[in-house]
Amino acid sequence: MAQDLEFNKNEDKLKLMVSDIKQKLEQIHLGGGEKRIEKHKAKGKMTARERVAYLLDKNRPQIEIGAFAGYDMYAEHGGCPGGGVVVVMGYVKGRICLVVANDATVKAGAWFPITGKKNLRAQEIAMENKIPIIYLVDSAGVYLPMQDEIFPDKEHFGRIFRNNAIMSSMGITQISAIMGSCVAGGAYLPIMSDEALIVNKTGSIFLAGSYLVKAAIGENIDNETLGGATTHCEISGVTDYKSEDDPDALRTIQTIMDKIGEPVKAGFSRTEPAKPAKDEKEIYGLLPVDRTKQYDMKAIIERLVDNSEFEEYKEGYGKTIVTGYARIDGWAVGIVANNREMIKTKTGEMQFGGVIYSDSADKASRFIANCNQKKIPLVFLQDVSGFMVGSRSEHGGIIKDGAKMVSTMANSVVPKFTIIIGNSYGAGNYAMCGKAYDPRLIVAWPTANLAVMGGAQAAKVLLQIETASLKAKGEEITPEVEKELLDRITASYEKQTKPEYAAARLWTDAIIDPLQTRTWISMGIEAANQAPIEKAYNPGVIQA
């Protein structure tokens, strides 16, 4: 396609943003840092990432879940890169699965609050898709200085073991390898798995270590005798396999995975994969980095789908949302995307791009229902400012139409996948399948912004609140003071809208290069295809 100056500026800026994300990921991948990695390897152990790489099939795609978890958090505790755990979806002996590996270079693999949340997210993905999950255990247990935020609540540490039990009843394969410390309550995770391996001399598992045993009952015993590989493989029978080293344990897991029977499939349509006919890399130049500028979402879609073929549904109606059928890496998908172009209707009315109107909400509802009827997975491409406001919209029933869209989407039984391309504001985030609506995977491009509303609008609202509070205290608000307040509020708010902030808290599963989008969707659907749809589609009373 012909490229202009604006295209080149967009391309340069987005490539810089992608490069910045990759540099941050490189730092995250170091875990606790090079010195701790050296100390870890001196014990004869592989790092968490080396273990995952050794286990997974070579030359097959893989995606990492929650790499940014804990980013720029817990500074007072020395940080928690990656949440202290590595979670990757990949293939072992050709079988798609999840691998969860404690990173013992980060606080000895201790569990921070975000570690628990990330582990629960991994289990959620395994349960939704009924895919095997493999735990590579090397953890000192709960991070005691923050025990009140990780121990007692419903979504805390104990939920992990509840999920172990539920997955077992669902017939989901769970395999654990004890490759380092495994203490206290954490000892239940590997033993509640279907099969447990332990590495000789480096792996140990017990409810209480030797120091605590001495303090509690006065017994003198070393950790190896208390809970090492020989003890649990030959005396207690707690573990099933004794491995000589990390590679031996990982090869044993591969052997086990190689024998698992085929699952019953959901039956989603797949044909021979094809690349987009239009150059995927042109996305960099087509997508304005300035979130206020217009662009053609269909041009983005054509660079994401096979052969650039997109069969649009209700093309001439409800134009601020684009809906239609396509294939991604061979998989049939239904796409619901926010159109960022200004629209002139037949009546002469102008509709703002990225805003959901009554007609576009109605169209999206109908299309989502169609995809559920046809058993077609849904892909949401978000760049949304919210629903249209004002008397005309309110009198036209925007709340009712918006409720229909949310209801139809929330009750979908086909798997949903969400890509946050740009803005993801307010109720628009909800209607377009934000994290609260159970997308199987949700990722952001570096251009994403997640918030209740845009930074400029929010800052002005917050400024009004703060100035009113200061005036009530008798303080004088000069233009200089007001500007200083606005700048401070804007900077703070905009930091919270950045994709790194969202990914750190696992509001999204990853920040990805736009060119990785097809891989995420394809692997997501392949995983979802392992779980047959068992619930009939019912959009709810609001659709009546």
Side-chain angles (χ1 to χ4, degrees), residues 248-503:
D248 184 33
L250 298 168
R251 287 192 295 269
T252 301
I253 294 172
Q254 291 169 341
T255 300
I256 296 168
M257 288 291 293
D258 192 39
K259 310 299 188 297
I260 296 175
E262 281 293 314
V264 178
K265 300 292 180 71
F268 301 126
S269 171
R270 193 179 197 188
T271 58
E272 187 67 27
K275 293 283 187 182
K278 296 184 178 180
D279 188 356
E280 295 173 75
K281 294 179 181 178
E282 290 176 346
I283 289 173
Y284 292 135
L286 290 168
L287 185 66
V289 175
D290 182 348
R291 297 287 77 237
T292 64
K293 290 191 174 180
Q294 298 178 46
Y295 65 92
D296 181 7
M297 178 61 83
K298 282 184 271 190
I300 302 293
I301 292 171
E302 288 170 348
R303 286 155 179 83
L304 293 175
V305 301
D306 292 9
N307 298 314
S308 299
E309 294 174 351
F310 179 60
E311 186 66 33
E312 192 168 355
Y313 171 82
K314 287 185 178 290
E315 181 179 1
Y317 177 72
K319 293 184 178 181
T320 64
I321 286 183
V322 175
T323 53
Y325 304 103
R327 289 189 181 273
I328 292 179
D329 199 35
W331 295 104
V333 296
I335 295 175
V336 181
N338 302 111
N339 185 11
R340 289 290 302 185
E341 292 185 306
M342 290 286 287
I343 305 297
K344 187 173 184 179
T345 67
K346 289 283 181 71
T347 61
E349 177 192 2
M350 294 302 296
Q351 293 186 341
F352 295 96
V355 177
I356 302 174
Y357 290 76
S358 285
D359 54 357
S360 49
D362 175 64
K363 177 172 81 171
S365 298
R366 291 171 180 270
F367 180 71
I368 290 167
N370 283 348
C371 287
N372 275 271
Q373 186 181 45
K374 296 179 176 70
K375 204 161 70 172
I376 299 174
L378 285 159
V379 174
F380 292 83
L381 303 178
Q382 284 196 12
D383 194 347
V384 57
S385 301
F387 285 86
M388 191 58 192
V389 297
S391 60
R392 177 178 292 194
S393 294
E394 298 293 358
H395 296 172
I398 186 66
I399 295 175
K400 181 75 169 179
D401 292 320
K404 285 182 180 180
M405 182 177 173
V406 171
S407 179
T408 310
M409 179 274 300
N411 284 299
S412 288
V413 295
V414 295
K416 298 170 291 193
F417 302 89
T418 301
I419 317 296
I420 304 174
I421 290 176
N423 299 336
S424 181
Y425 295 155
N429 168 281
Y430 298 163
M432 291 294 293
C433 196
K435 182 66 182 289
Y437 292 84
D438 301 319
R440 296 293 176 95
L441 295 170
I442 176 170
V443 297
W445 288 3
T447 44
N449 286 280
L450 285 80
V452 171
M453 63 179 73
Q457 302 95 311
K460 289 176 182 176
V461 172
L462 292 168
L463 177 66
Q464 291 174 3
I465 295 169
E466 188 155 344
T467 53
S469 175
L470 291 171
K471 286 178 180 177
K473 295 175 183 176
E475 296 187 31
E476 182 183 354
I477 307 299
T478 64
E480 292 77 19
V481 170
E482 187 173 282
K483 183 181 183 304
E484 183 181 332
L485 284 171
L486 181 61
D487 290 344
R488 176 173 56 79
I489 291 168
T490 301
S492 175
Y493 189 88
E494 288 188 348
K495 179 183 178 182
Q496 294 176 22
T497 70
K498 297 298 182 187
E500 293 94 329
Y501 191 92

Side-chain angles (χ1 to χ4, degrees), residues 145-200:
M146 302 188 74
Q147 65 85 28
D148 61 321
E149 296 182 47
I150 182 62
F151 167 65
D153 209 346
K154 181 179 178 180
E155 300 298 330
H156 284 177
F157 192 61
R159 189 77 171 181
I160 303 290
F161 317 129
R162 174 264 187 194
N163 287 349
N164 288 142
I166 296 299
M167 281 191 279
S168 181
S169 72
M170 294 171 66
I172 297 170
T173 297
Q174 300 176 82
I175 303 170
S176 289
I178 302 158
M179 311 181 85
S181 297
C182 185
V183 299
Y188 287 104
L189 184 147
I191 308 312
M192 292 187 74
S193 299
D194 302 321
E195 296 183 85
L197 304 82
I198 185 167
V199 178
N200 194 28

Side-chain angles (χ1 to χ4, degrees), residues 83-85 102-112 115 138-143:
V85 63
N102 297 116
D103 186 350
T105 71
V106 180
K107 291 287 193 297
W111 288 55
F112 281 67
T115 315
D138 193 347
S139 170
V142 167
Y143 182 62

Side-chain angles (χ1 to χ4, degrees), residues 60-75:
R60 295 294 302 272
Q62 57 183 254
I63 55 177
E64 183 172 354
I65 312 294
F68 269 91
Y71 179 78
D72 206 21
M73 295 169 64
Y74 311 119

